[in-house]
Amino acid sequence: MSTPLDSPDQGGLATLDRELEELIREESIEPGDHERFSHYVKKDKILESAMTGKPVRALCGKKWTPGRDPEKFPVCPTCKEIYESIMR
């Protein structure tokens, strides 16, 4: 007797695994300068990230999970330029 878990084409764990792998690829955290700069992100997104552990996306497009004191780093020049152009 076959169960849905035995047949990946009909759903079950195999489908969930494929969907999870695709979601992880889409949500991949970008390496790069986020370790050297503080980035501009909406405050509600920072709070959401703190509660859920989900990554945030800065104005410059950088995606990462915040976890350090932004006061200790210079502001990302791209984020700053975008922010200033919005505020004009």
Side-chain angles (χ1 to χ4, degrees):
M1 180 174 193
S2 173
T3 66
L5 298 178
D6 296 332
S7 179
D9 294 327
Q10 297 182 14
L13 290 178
T15 300
L16 291 175
D17 286 343
R18 281 196 309 274
E19 290 173 358
L20 180 59
E21 287 174 10
E22 182 178 329
L23 181 60
I24 289 170
R25 274 193 304 275
E26 290 173 4
E27 294 291 323
S28 67
I29 299 172
E30 300 172 9
D33 70 359
H34 68 277
E35 296 298 327
R36 296 183 289 153
F37 294 114
S38 293
H39 294 273
Y40 289 176
V41 178
K42 290 182 178 180
K43 285 184 181 181
D44 62 324
K45 295 297 182 183
I46 295 287
L47 179 60
E48 180 182 342
S49 178
M51 293 172 56
T52 65
K54 292 170 108 178
V56 295
R57 185 170 304 274
L59 287 178
C60 68
K62 182 62 66 179
K63 192 172 193 178
W64 85 106
T65 304
R68 59 189 174 86
D69 182 3
E71 300 282 326
K72 295 181 179 178
F73 299 88
V75 174
C76 166
T78 305
C79 281
K80 186 175 183 176
E81 181 180 325
I82 294 168
Y83 179 77
E84 289 173 353
S85 72
I86 292 171
M87 298 310 289
R88 291 184 197 168

